[in-house]
Amino acid sequence: MNGVFAKLRTGLAAAALASTALAGPVSAQQVKEFWHYLGAGGELEGVEGMMEVAKSKIDEEFTHRVVPGGSAGLRQQVQVSLMGGVPPMAYQVSAGLELNQLAQSGRLVPLTEAWEQINGDEIFPEGLIQVISYGDEKYGLPFAMSMLGNTWYNKGIFEELGLEVPTTWEEWDEVATTLEENGYVALTSGGGSAAWTIYQFYAALFDAAGADGYWEFVGGMMPLDDPRFVEAVDLFEAHFVKYFDDEWTGGVWSDGLDRLMAGEVAMYNMGDWASGYMRQRGWTPNEEYSFFPAPSLQNVTIFQSDVIVVLKGEETDLGMKFAAAAASPEAQQAFNAAKGSIAPSNEIDPSFYDPIAKMEYDKLVSEDAIVLPNLYVLMPSGFKEDLGNAFTRFGATKDRAAFDEELARLEEMRKEMYEAGEFGTF
Amino acid sequence: MTTLNPLAAIPFRQRDRMTYFIFLMVPAVLYVAAYIYPTIETFRLSFFEWDGFSPPEYIGLENYWELLGEPRFRNAFFNNLKWLVFYLTLPTVTGLALALLLDAELRGSVVFRTIFFIPFTITTVAVASAWRWMYKPSNGVMTQFVEALGFDAPNWLGDPSINTYSIMGAALWAWSGFTFLIYFGGLRALPTELIEAARIDGAKFWTILFKIKLPLLWPSTIVVLGIAAVDSMKIFDLVWAMTQGGPYRSSSVLAVEMYETSFVMFKLGQGAAVAFVLLVVASIVVMPYIYHMTRQVDEVKE
């Protein structure tokens, strides 16, 4: 019997050792590949253009691989490849808390040297630099940006009713009321993700708390009963929630655009991938549709960015060379021209942008521009999903009392997570 | 003279056992590697906090305590119970009704048999896509149908009070083909002399159904209910493809919570805890079925 227990103990110890070894950093035999989830038409074409430029700059063989399943699918694959000891030299990450945590995990190579070579401090916007830095090091090189906080609108409806794009909350209310009086859905939201409704809150938060307050909120330092946050919720309720229709919860984000293109919905606050969607379906930018910044965001650009990170391993040098090459103006132009997104570098020639992207680019590089990251990707998991779901429920039910009750619960969660150091430092 | 076959020295009975052993080793090794080991590893992981990249940190039962305090977990668990009740009743009754209908030798029954079974052959994601279209709030077929009848159509997938039932509608359409097939096969295998004798004795349709057919169909019912119970616990793909558990987690189930916790929030330890709870709940639900089936096998042996 003792022998059996001894064998069992040995087996368990071996299993524990094996799994610990799997979890810890491994001396990786890296594959010379850049992994990403950019598999759709324009995206893939963009990656291929970027690879072509990178290959012309580096005298070594390497390639790319599309991993299905979006960011979650890619992360799973990278995790598994690290356990198996054959990770890629580099992969795509959305700049935010995930990048911050990856930097802390010790898996990533600091890219500060490459950053300095390409003069990153001069060519990338300040808000972007903040979210790819950890301590004194840079851990990602950005290659694309998408903008949020803009309201897309059906130009035909605006022209029919003689409406001008609003620049203040008062004008916003006048436009929305006129639209409703004429039988249109003034504003819709996006179903299918906890993120779409909270994205629309950023304009109100910025209005009430400014850029400093925005960063405070991102860092978990602003209580959810702070007067600035309460004022932001009031603004959001008065200018967004009030006008939301009651259908969007049953659809996905693109359903809102389908309804906008069908002339049913007049305005929809969504990321700039909305433009790509409408263009793909045959609409011409600035003719059938356009966008305007939500009031309070006239000179504010809210973005999310894709960056390249390099994993520690035997192909680290090649990974660093690749990341630097992908951050070059030619590579950024090749990628973003095909995808229809905005290049983070200010060294590119903006002539390739379509009219919508050009408007976004001009706003991004204007002298008084304030550039802020999408706060949703900067907040810790668990908290952000619950907060996003609370906003979605509020947008759908318009029940402020229930929302306030949920915010009180989330405030407890925020305090605990803040004290545990789970919010990022940017 | 020496033999060339080294096995010849081994007694026949021992050789026989060795053959059994070798043949049994293959599935046993596969079972241990593909099921037992991952289950133990998942259970072990549930005591850790791990994001998949940083070193895991042992936190004891904290993941389980956190789950118990999470409204989203309780909601998902409750939705699984709804799915259990649904799977055990509606598709079973629908499949049986369709099978009884076609067993009556209607004209064109071969065509109907095919029509009823086809939905079961369609992949779940395709079923989900088709039903998403039908449930679209403004122009979906279901919406327009209800409006044509003069009623206000509900927001099928967007209203938290009904969206789980709407997804069940899609599941009913797809799953009834399977229950139909099992019952139809069962009905065709019933001894006709019993039914004929009952008819000659003046038994009516309902008497024949409840006194003869349904008792004789018990083995088919056991198969249907057993598989339905398993499916109700592991339901994921249809819910994920139709609503991703939303809006605001209202249609979520335990498998969706497991996926979200592990691969969206990157809390792999807590995701493992959800997985283990799901395994325990599923075992409790499925155990009576396993017990019944094992007893039947034992009876056949005797």
Side-chain angles (χ1 to χ4, degrees):
Chain A
M1 197 61 140
N2 283 343
V4 174
F5 279 121
K7 279 178 188 168
L8 191 63
R9 269 202 307 273
T10 315
L12 283 172
L17 267 175
S19 37
T20 311
L22 290 175
V26 288
S27 176
Q29 283 191 319
Q30 286 176 304
V31 287
K32 295 178 181 181
E33 289 178 350
F34 164 57
W35 288 6
H36 58 88
Y37 50 86
L38 300 158
E43 292 175 340
L44 189 58
E45 199 186 315
V47 173
E48 278 160 3
M50 183 169 81
M51 294 302 290
E52 205 172 300
V53 174
K55 281 179 177 174
S56 70
K57 290 174 181 281
I58 305 165
D59 191 23
E60 273 184 76
E61 279 298 309
F62 58 94
T63 185
H64 71 99
R65 184 186 295 272
V66 185
V67 177
S71 60
L74 176 57
R75 174 148 173 158
Q76 287 167 43
Q77 288 297 316
V78 173
Q79 279 173 207
V80 172
S81 73
L82 282 164
M83 289 174 177
V86 281
M89 63 175 186
Y91 73 101
Q92 172 195 3
V93 171
S94 184
L97 189 62
E98 189 186 350
L99 179 59
N100 206 284
Q101 288 167 341
L102 287 172
Q104 287 178 57
S105 75
R107 298 274 196 188
L108 301 184
V109 180
L111 297 173
T112 313
E113 204 182 309
W115 179 272
E116 282 163 2
Q117 278 170 16
I118 60 170
N119 207 10
D121 285 339
E122 301 299 320
I123 64 171
F124 297 126
E126 174 57 31
L128 177 55
I129 296 171
Q130 271 177 273
V131 293
I132 56 181
S133 307
Y134 181 68
D136 294 331
E137 305 279 9
K138 307 287 183 289
Y139 281 91
L141 291 183
F143 63 97
M145 289 171 93
S146 296
M147 309 309 181
L148 292 89
N150 292 321
T151 304
W152 302 90
Y153 69 103
N154 180 320
K155 286 193 86 169
I157 297 176
F158 270 55
E159 278 161 21
E160 177 201 328
L161 301 178
L163 297 171
E164 294 290 323
V165 295
T167 54
T168 64
W169 291 122
E170 290 73 26
E171 288 173 11
W172 171 279
D173 285 337
E174 280 169 27
V175 166
T177 308
T178 309
L179 286 164
E180 285 188 341
E181 282 170 359
N182 285 277
Y184 292 106
V185 171
L187 189 67
T188 195
S189 189
S193 162
W196 305 134
T197 306
I198 197 172
Y199 281 6
Q200 303 181 59
F201 174 66
Y202 300 171
L205 181 65
F206 183 83
D207 195 338
D212 290 342
Y214 190 95
W215 279 109
E216 255 181 72
F217 187 74
V218 164
M221 290 174 283
M222 184 188 284
L224 301 184
D225 51 8
D226 184 290
R228 292 167 297 169
F229 187 81
V230 175
E231 187 191 335
V233 173
D234 290 342
L235 281 170
F236 180 64
E237 183 180 22
H239 306 297
F240 284 86
V241 175
K242 181 183 170 188
Y243 301 112
F244 284 155
D245 66 317
D246 55 4
E247 284 195 7
W248 56 273
T249 49
V252 291
W253 69 271
S254 56
D255 289 338
L257 292 171
D258 290 338
R259 294 171 68 207
L260 188 137
M261 293 175 76
E264 188 186 332
V265 166
M267 301 192 292
Y268 187 27
N269 197 291
M270 182 48 68
D272 64 4
W273 43 90
S275 179
Y277 184 88
M278 289 188 277
R279 211 175 46 202
Q280 262 189 346
R281 275 150 188 80
W283 269 28
T284 311
N286 255 356
E287 283 183 22
E288 278 114 334
Y289 73 95
S290 189
F291 78 87
F292 56 86
S296 83
L297 297 182
Q298 299 297 327
N299 62 334
V300 181
T301 293
I302 296 176
F303 72 93
Q304 57 192 37
S305 178
D306 291 315
V307 303
I308 295 171
V309 295
V310 177
L311 285 164
K312 286 180 180 166
E314 61 187 16
E315 299 300 340
T316 290
D317 286 344
L318 178 59
M320 287 170 74
K321 281 184 208 163
F322 167 71
S328 68
E330 309 93 281
Q332 300 227 333
Q333 188 160 326
F335 178 81
N336 291 286
K339 192 193 170 212
S341 45
I342 306 294
S345 169
N346 62 13
E347 286 184 327
I348 52 98
D349 170 10
S351 60
F352 70 88
Y353 287 130
D354 72 23
I356 295 286
K358 182 70 170 47
M359 282 161 69
E360 289 182 320
Y361 175 79
D362 289 343
K363 189 177 158 193
L364 176 72
V365 296
S366 66
E367 272 186 17
D368 60 345
I370 297 170
V371 183
L372 295 170
N374 174 7
L375 65 81
Y376 195 76
V377 297
L378 301 176
M379 289 194 297
S381 273
F383 180 73
K384 72 176 180 188
E385 288 84 4
D386 279 13
L387 188 67
N389 275 309
F391 270 91
T392 309
R393 187 194 298 261
F394 181 38
T397 61
K398 306 185 183 196
D399 183 343
R400 179 67 184 264
F403 183 57
D404 287 342
E405 205 175 299
E406 181 63 2
L407 285 180
R409 185 186 76 82
L410 287 167
E411 171 54 17
E412 292 305 311
M413 192 190 227
R414 182 203 66 80
K415 269 189 217 159
E416 273 177 35
M417 292 177 94
Y418 181 70
E419 280 160 17
E422 290 185 43
F423 280 87
T425 48
F426 301 100
Chain B
M1 193 179 135
T2 53
T3 173
L4 289 173
N5 184 358
L7 292 175
I10 304 169
F12 177 75
R13 183 169 288 213
Q14 217 170 325
R15 248 192 297 166
D16 215 23
R17 278 190 189 155
M18 200 187 280
T19 311
Y20 290 142
F21 178 75
I22 290 167
F23 273 102
L24 278 173
M25 274 302 285
V26 177
V29 166
L30 285 175
Y31 182 71
V32 169
Y35 183 75
I36 301 292
Y37 173 71
T39 305
I40 294 170
E41 190 58 14
T42 302
F43 183 57
R44 201 187 69 86
L45 182 58
S46 70
F47 299 110
F48 287 83
E49 186 178 328
W50 188 39
D51 66 2
F53 281 92
S54 315
E57 186 191 338
Y58 180 77
I59 54 167
L61 288 169
E62 206 176 300
N63 283 325
Y64 290 94
W65 296 133
E66 259 185 49
L67 282 185
L68 290 176
E70 287 276 2
R72 65 188 172 90
F73 177 73
R74 291 198 297 270
N75 174 61
F77 179 72
F78 187 58
N79 278 339
N80 266 100
L81 293 184
K82 284 185 192 169
W83 276 99
L84 175 65
V85 173
F86 160 77
Y87 264 115
L88 291 180
T89 53
L90 278 182
T92 310
V93 173
T94 309
L96 177 64
L98 292 174
L100 286 168
L101 196 70
L102 292 194
D103 191 45
E105 295 298 344
L106 294 176
R107 186 178 289 179
S109 72
V110 177
V111 178
F112 283 111
R113 244 181 276 170
T114 313
I115 290 171
F116 293 156
F117 187 64
I118 278 176
F120 183 66
T121 65
I122 300 172
T123 179
T124 311
V125 176
V127 171
S129 298
W131 279 80
R132 277 197 69 88
W133 275 95
M134 300 211 295
Y135 282 145
K136 275 206 166 198
S138 45
N139 53 6
V141 172
M142 295 293 280
T143 306
Q144 292 193 338
F145 174 71
V146 171
E147 283 174 355
L149 295 175
F151 299 105
D152 282 338
N155 190 347
W156 302 99
L157 297 175
D159 181 346
S161 63
I162 62 158
N163 55 6
T164 292
Y165 305 115
S166 303
I167 304 170
M168 285 174 183
L172 179 65
W173 180 76
W175 177 256
S176 296
F178 171 72
T179 55
F180 156 75
L181 194 74
I182 299 287
Y183 275 122
F184 191 73
L187 280 169
R188 285 296 157 117
L190 293 185
T192 48
E193 60 272 20
L194 280 179
I195 296 162
E196 283 306 315
R199 275 197 191 125
I200 291 165
D201 287 347
K204 299 276 189 258
F205 171 80
W206 294 109
T207 313
I208 294 172
L209 177 64
F210 285 108
K211 299 282 184 187
I212 299 174
K213 287 186 176 175
L214 286 186
L216 289 175
L217 280 174
W218 185 237
S220 305
T221 305
I222 287 293
V223 170
V224 166
L225 294 182
I227 296 175
V230 173
D231 271 25
S232 71
M233 289 297 115
K234 66 174 196 179
I235 177 95
F236 170 77
D237 39 11
L238 196 60
V239 175
W240 187 255
M242 288 184 81
T243 62
Q244 293 191 359
Y248 33 95
R249 297 186 175 123
S250 53
S251 58
S252 188
V253 287
L254 286 175
V256 167
E257 284 305 313
M258 178 180 71
Y259 180 83
E260 277 230 315
T261 308
S262 300
F263 302 119
V264 178
M265 299 185 197
F266 308 126
K267 293 178 171 181
L268 280 100
Q270 199 173 79
V274 181
F276 198 74
V277 170
L278 181 58
L279 177 71
V280 171
V281 175
S283 305
I284 293 167
V285 168
V286 177
M287 208 51 86
Y289 170 71
I290 307 265
Y291 176 73
H292 182 88
M293 290 301 274
T294 329
R295 217 175 53 172
Q296 271 196 334
V297 171
D298 287 345
E299 278 168 10
V300 170
K301 268 189 189 170
E302 283 161 14

